[in-house]
Amino acid sequence: MENVSSLILIGTVHRDPHGYKKLFHLLSEIKPRIITVEISPYSLSFRAKHVPEIRRILRENLRRMKNEDSLSLKEIISHGAVMSIFCLLKDPFEWQAAKFYAQISNAYLFDIDLSVYAQEKLAYLAELVSLENLKSLYKLPSRSFFKEISAQYAKANHLFHNPPKIWPVTKEILEREFYMAEKIRQIFKSNEGVIFCHIGGWEHLLERPDGKSLFHLLQDLNPQRILLPNN
């Protein structure tokens, strides 16, 4: 019997405010039976246990800024850096959209990123929402959060069609690329004949000069690569 398995890699710009709607729509069109997401078990556990309290501290410190510096909450929250923190504290839209799609379609959903690096990064969240840090960020020039997201999509689209000749790669990135590739390969080969989607940051799907991006490592599975649209 002919193998009709299909692996589709969906590249996203993390923290896209409109990402949930776009991704859910795309998944509804593709109709995958298996979905993997670039998120770690530790990240999901940490967010469920600790982020509500971190959000409370953030709101409290924003009120203190308002009172101490005679600012309106609207002024503070509209600052690009502060808005970025709010988006960071939300569950990633990639996981939210995939989870909801899986619930209504009975698709299988897997979190496949390495926990060790998520643990290091999430440890800084409490410091990020401290009053001192918020005041420091507010003093910086405010860049439009939405324009930054659009710029990331433009950059991703360009590099998908014009692979970079130079691209810095860290030990962390390499370890995560190989780890996620192996996870995807194991799940893919155990579920032949179904549509399989992986969702993750667009940088992992580049044709990098080192030849070790997630996209490269999965070439034997003949993946299709899609960039989430910027609209």
Side-chain angles (χ1 to χ4, degrees):
M1 181 178 177
E2 183 182 358
N3 183 354
V4 294
S5 297
S6 177
L7 175 60
I8 301 169
L9 307 177
I10 302 174
T12 67
V13 171
H14 296 317
R15 289 185 266 176
D16 176 0
H18 306 297
Y20 178 97
K21 182 178 180 180
K22 293 186 292 187
L23 180 56
F24 180 77
H25 178 73
L26 182 59
L27 290 173
S28 299
E29 287 188 337
I30 296 173
K31 295 180 172 57
R33 291 293 298 144
I34 306 287
I35 305 171
T36 57
V37 179
E38 178 203 331
I39 194 169
S40 70
Y42 177 84
S43 179
L44 292 172
S45 174
F46 180 93
R47 288 174 178 279
K49 292 178 182 177
H50 301 292
V51 165
E53 173 62 12
I54 293 173
R55 283 201 195 101
R56 186 195 66 77
I57 294 171
L58 173 61
R59 290 193 296 268
E60 179 181 315
N61 285 336
L62 290 177
R63 284 193 292 268
R64 289 180 63 185
M65 277 183 68
K66 170 182 176 292
N67 295 330
E68 292 177 11
D69 300 337
S70 300
L71 298 166
S72 71
L73 279 177
K74 184 178 180 180
E75 283 180 294
I76 301 171
I77 295 172
S78 64
H79 191 286
V82 177
M83 188 177 293
S84 180
I85 292 174
F86 272 98
C87 290
L88 179 63
L89 292 179
K90 292 181 179 179
D91 281 345
F93 76 83
E94 294 93 338
W95 181 257
Q96 291 187 61
K99 183 178 179 181
F100 183 58
Y101 173 82
Q103 288 173 341
I104 65 173
S105 68
N106 293 319
Y108 294 96
L109 177 63
F110 300 89
D111 47 1
I112 64 163
D113 206 351
L114 271 171
S115 285
V116 61
Y117 291 111
Q119 190 170 356
E120 293 176 5
K121 292 175 181 177
L122 291 171
Y124 292 101
L125 281 184
E127 180 182 335
L128 192 64
V129 301
S130 69
L131 181 61
E132 181 182 3
N133 188 60
L134 290 171
K135 287 191 173 187
S136 296
L137 290 175
Y138 189 76
K139 291 176 182 177
L140 297 174
S142 178
R143 295 186 295 178
S144 169
F145 179 71
F146 297 99
K147 287 183 179 179
E148 286 192 10
I149 295 295
S150 292
Q152 281 291 304
Y153 274 112
K155 181 179 180 180
N157 185 60
H158 174 76
L159 292 176
F160 267 34
H161 294 91
N162 303 276
K165 295 181 179 179
I166 300 175
W167 193 264
V169 179
T170 63
K171 176 176 176 286
E172 172 196 336
I173 291 295
L174 282 178
E175 285 188 17
R176 291 175 59 211
E177 302 280 35
F178 276 93
Y179 183 83
M180 289 191 289
E182 184 57 28
K183 285 282 189 181
I184 290 170
R185 181 172 283 102
Q186 289 174 359
I187 299 169
F188 181 87
K189 291 192 173 181
S190 299
N191 294 276
E192 294 187 358
V194 302
I195 298 175
F196 185 135
C197 277
H198 170 71
I199 304 163
W202 64 269
E203 296 95 335
H204 298 283
L205 306 186
L206 289 178
E207 295 181 67
R208 291 200 317 247
D210 67 322
K212 295 178 181 177
S213 70
L214 183 64
F215 181 60
H216 277 124
L217 295 173
L218 295 172
Q219 282 303 297
D220 59 305
L221 303 181
N222 193 30
Q224 177 186 355
R225 185 178 58 166
I226 298 175
L227 179 64
L228 203 64
N230 181 28
N231 51 45

